[in-house]
Amino acid sequence: MPEDLAATLAGCAGGAIPAGIALMRLCLAGDEDTARAALAQAIAASEGPARERLRRVERLWRTTPEAFTLVKRVARTSEEEPAETDDVARWAKAFDTAAAISPEASVALYSLGRPDLLAAATDEVVGALRALGLVRPEGHVLDIGCGIGRFVAALAPHVAQVTGLDVSPRMLAEARRRAARLGNARLVQGNGRDFAGLAAAAFDLALAVDSFPYVVAAGPDVVAANMREIKRVLRPGGRLVILNYSYRGDQAADRAELADLAGRLGFRLLRAGERRFRHWDGALFDLERLP
Ligand SMILES: C[S@@+](CC[C@H](N)C(=O)[O-])C[C@H]1O[C@@H](n2cnc3c(N)ncnc32)[C@H](O)[C@@H]1O
């Protein structure tokens, strides 16, 4: 069995990798027959709770037969944009293309394009924000890289105002559709570097779910520009919650980089890479904007 498939299946059997993530990785790893055979082999070799976790992947695949093709198609969009455009623009175009294929998979590949799986993951994140005391009726929230607006729509009924910011026009069109009936939701197209049009000290919470990896991929100057702008638009004591800082697969490097940025730019790092989700393997970073 190829090493990456074996690692995914072992992680899933051990309970460290949720079923949706495991299936997404199986789909990304190689050809469909090899992935199916590896899953069957892992199920046959396991027992007890490990076997049940792997069977959950099997059931998910059976009820989502298009998963393999969809995951591959959406993943390919990030490889297809030519390198000559600048990195922010390149990601904006890639996400435009991905959103046209599957809005749900474009923001969370592990949803396998299924609204029910995406909603479960969204609810879990909102629950975590609530547990941290960050969802308040008087709160003003900025969702950076809001995508199709799943958090804008989920948070709007519970806070005073939500602003979704994104670089992809197609994502924003989807978000506008989802937020059409919400009187306290605003959607803004940004340039990925500055937050022009957003007032200083206007927000209590800045949220970035799976969007910082693209900021990081655009380079250190883009990261620093975004962090400075986040500091500007948050009120003193306001919080920045980043769910996944990068996709480098090096959590120690992510922690060190955010600790350094926090120290240099006037934040306190309260949580550094906590993993607390059942439906998703996102790492949570929580920073407080210092006065
Ligand atoms: C994987 S999607 C996640 C969307 C949303 N946060 C969610 O979890 O549903 C990443 C989003 O980040 C946006 N994005 C990428 N680079 C960005 C940047 N520099 N500034 C703002 N948004 C960006 C993309 O257009 C895309 O909508």
Side-chain angles (χ1 to χ4, degrees):
M1 183 187 304
E3 237 173 73
D4 47 353
L5 289 182
T8 295
L9 291 165
C12 180
I17 300 180
I21 299 277
L23 182 48
M24 175 194 78
R25 290 195 191 162
L26 292 187
C27 296
L28 288 172
D31 69 274
E32 189 162 2
D33 290 344
T34 308
R36 280 193 191 280
L39 177 59
Q41 192 184 327
I43 291 172
S46 61
E47 55 188 23
R51 173 174 270 209
E52 182 41 40
R53 290 188 194 107
L54 292 168
R55 281 212 180 281
R56 213 173 292 151
V57 179
E58 190 183 48
R59 281 196 297 276
L60 202 51
W61 206 341
R62 199 180 318 121
T63 53
T64 323
E66 68 286 8
F68 193 87
T69 317
L70 182 70
V71 165
K72 285 249 194 277
R73 258 184 91 198
V74 173
R76 222 176 286 131
T77 59
S78 57
E79 294 152 17
E80 279 170 356
E81 286 307 323
E84 66 263 22
T85 48
D86 83 272
D87 277 337
V88 172
R90 182 170 168 267
W91 286 120
K93 282 192 187 163
F95 277 104
D96 274 349
T97 310
I101 298 170
S102 162
E104 286 79 12
S106 72
V107 294
L109 205 47
Y110 58 87
S111 76
L112 314 168
R114 286 174 50 162
D116 60 333
L117 295 186
L118 188 64
T122 306
D123 289 351
E124 202 175 25
V125 172
V126 172
L129 296 175
R130 272 186 194 289
L132 294 173
L134 299 175
V135 182
R136 299 200 195 113
E138 70 283 8
H140 285 233
V141 179
L142 173 63
D143 184 2
I144 301 163
C146 65
I148 63 173
R150 62 179 172 130
F151 290 106
V152 170
L155 290 170
H158 309 291
V159 300
Q161 195 178 42
V162 194
T163 301
L165 176 71
D166 206 287
V167 292
S168 154
R170 182 101 196 197
M171 286 288 194
L172 285 165
E174 281 289 332
R176 286 202 177 92
R177 201 171 57 71
R178 283 176 167 74
R181 290 206 193 89
L182 300 167
N184 61 343
R186 183 166 63 129
L187 291 154
V188 177
Q189 176 154 3
N191 59 22
R193 290 181 171 81
D194 67 54
F195 296 177
L198 301 187
F203 297 96
D204 306 285
L205 169 65
L207 175 67
V209 183
D210 268 338
S211 53
F212 248 83
Y214 304 97
V215 174
V216 169
D221 55 326
V222 181
V223 175
N226 271 268
M227 290 296 286
R228 275 194 294 271
E229 282 294 77
I230 293 167
K231 167 109 194 272
R232 181 180 71 76
V233 302
L234 277 178
R235 65 165 175 75
R239 299 269 277 276
L240 164 62
V241 172
I242 297 176
L243 285 153
N244 283 337
Y245 176 69
S246 84
Y247 293 146
R248 295 179 289 214
D250 183 346
Q251 189 145 331
D254 285 357
R255 283 200 184 112
E257 202 165 300
L258 265 172
D260 175 59
L261 282 164
R264 283 194 290 119
L265 297 175
F267 292 89
R268 189 191 346 253
L269 189 56
L270 303 176
R271 289 179 181 77
E274 285 180 9
R275 294 190 191 265
R276 45 162 80 202
F277 304 112
R278 220 163 46 85
H279 294 289
W280 182 45
D281 60 352
L284 184 145
F285 295 87
D286 178 9
L287 299 94
E288 180 188 5
R289 184 228 199 258
L290 296 174

